């Protein structure tokens, strides 16, 4: 019996190549179920099953083979887990305005949502001099806010959104700064009134979403950017738009 060693060697190399190709593709590919970390930001993100952004992701599921495994968490944790590759998608980011080191491991989708941010105080006079105020801010947003508002990082007191608004009501912090819709909807839920607000800055960064800054992340970004363009986003976010149309300054009653 004659053994064709050339044929055997070719089959062996073919097997090796196939295994190598599978492993290489796996390193480039994103999973069919995307692990998502979202900072609670009512009404955009109320909980894992509720919010305008949640509705957007579910609409993407309806027109694709993707599934989103959503967990609500502080923004600081979401960024950390994206950096460690335990999450594939996070939000909401300050679109194109994060601290520089963020973009070493993350890249943002083309998709972004218009946002209005305000400074909130009990005493209206404090709106005229922010330099020495103790300003509450949801945890993980301190660096971005310091850069955007031109205030020292030490001025910002991080914490949970609802807890900080209660602290503002009790006078334990001087002010609070964050996105309008989430702040006002939380103030109303907590029945906190007589809070003065002023739009700050006049042109805040939109809210975005980010994936990993690697090959698999780039593939996922391309896929999601295409899918988001298929969704009727105007219909999903129509009630949210009412917050954007509020006066630039006023009182929450």
């Amino acid at each position: 019996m004659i053994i064709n060693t050339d044929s055997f060697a070719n089959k062996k190399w073919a097997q090796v190549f196939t295994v190598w190709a599978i492993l290489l593709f796996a390193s480039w590919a994103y999973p069919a179920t995307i692990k998502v970390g979202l900072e609670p930001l009512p009404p955009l993100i109320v909980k894992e099953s509720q919010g305008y952004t949640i509705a957007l992701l579910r609409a993407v599921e309806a027109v694709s083979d993707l599934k989103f495994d959503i967990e609500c968490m502080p923004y600081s944790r979401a960024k950390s887990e994206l950096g460690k590759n335990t999450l594939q998608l996070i939000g909401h980011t300050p679109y194109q305005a994060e601290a520089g080191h963020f973009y070493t491991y993350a890249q943002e989708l083309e998709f972004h949502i218009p946002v209005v941010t305000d400074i909130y105080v009990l005493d209206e006079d404090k709106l005229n001099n922010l330099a020495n105020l103790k300003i509450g801010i949801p945890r993980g947003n301190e660096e971005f806010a310091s850069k955007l508002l031109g205030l020292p990082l030490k001025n910002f007191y991080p914490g949970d959104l609802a807890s900080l608004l209660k602290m503002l009501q009790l006078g334990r912090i001087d002010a609070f700064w964050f996105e309008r819709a989430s702040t006002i909807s939380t103030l109303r839920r907590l029945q906190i009134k007589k809070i003065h607000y002023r739009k700050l800055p006049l042109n805040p960064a939109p809210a975005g979403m980010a994936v990993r800054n690697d090959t698999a992340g780039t593939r996922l970004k391309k896929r999601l950017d295409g899918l988001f363009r298929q969704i009727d986003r105007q219909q999903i976010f129509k009630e949210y738009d009412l917050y954007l149309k509020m006066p630039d300054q006023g009182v929450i009653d």
Side-chain angles (χ1 to χ4, degrees), residues 2 4 22 176 181 222 225 227:
I2 299 173
N4 187 336
I22 291 171
F176 177 83
K222 184 176 180 180
D225 283 338
L227 288 168

Side-chain angles (χ1 to χ4, degrees), residues 46-72:
V46 181
K47 53 186 178 180
E48 284 84 353
S49 60
Q50 185 179 350
Y52 301 131
T53 300
I54 306 299
L56 175 72
L57 293 178
R58 297 311 179 202
V60 168
E61 288 182 330
V63 297
S64 74
D65 60 346
L66 295 180
K67 297 296 179 185
F68 297 103
D69 180 8
I70 301 170
E71 182 180 354
C72 287

Side-chain angles (χ1 to χ4, degrees), residues 76-209:
S76 54
R77 178 185 161 199
K79 290 193 291 185
S80 174
E81 295 202 14
L82 184 67
K84 292 186 289 187
N85 204 19
T86 52
L87 293 174
Q88 287 85 50
L89 177 67
I90 69 166
H92 284 292
T93 64
Y95 182 67
Q96 296 185 344
E98 253 290 1
H101 62 82
F102 175 76
Y103 298 103
T104 62
Y105 63 86
Q107 57 180 323
E108 289 167 314
L109 305 182
E110 292 176 6
F111 162 80
H112 52 276
I113 305 167
V115 162
V116 174
T117 55
D118 304 290
I119 188 80
Y120 298 84
V121 294
L122 273 177
D123 181 357
E124 188 176 11
D125 289 340
K126 290 184 177 179
L127 291 173
N128 300 317
N129 184 11
L130 306 181
N132 297 313
L133 298 186
K134 183 178 181 180
I135 304 172
I137 187 168
R139 189 173 288 105
N141 294 278
E142 308 95 290
E143 289 187 49
F144 157 67
S146 174
K147 173 184 172 183
L148 183 68
L149 303 181
L151 294 171
L153 188 59
K154 64 181 179 63
N155 283 39
F156 293 94
Y157 184 87
D160 170 75
L161 172 63
S163 297
L164 289 169
L165 291 176
K166 292 175 183 177
M167 290 175 67
L168 177 65
Q169 181 186 36
L170 296 171
R172 293 172 57 191
I173 55 176
D174 302 308
F176 177 83
W177 180 89
F178 201 48
E179 186 273 331
R180 176 179 293 170
S182 56
T183 303
I184 292 179
S185 62
T186 304
L187 284 170
R188 288 173 173 161
R189 176 173 62 83
L190 297 174
Q191 299 185 353
I192 298 175
K193 301 181 179 182
K194 304 300 181 183
I195 300 293
H196 298 266
Y197 75 91
R198 178 185 293 168
K199 185 178 179 181
L200 184 74
L202 292 178
N203 297 298
M209 302 184 81

Side-chain angles (χ1 to χ4, degrees), residues 204-224:
M209 302 184 81
V211 296
R212 290 269 304 168
N213 187 10
D214 57 18
T215 304
T218 299
R219 288 166 61 88
L220 179 58
K221 168 180 161 56
K222 184 176 180 180
R223 183 82 192 282
L224 290 175

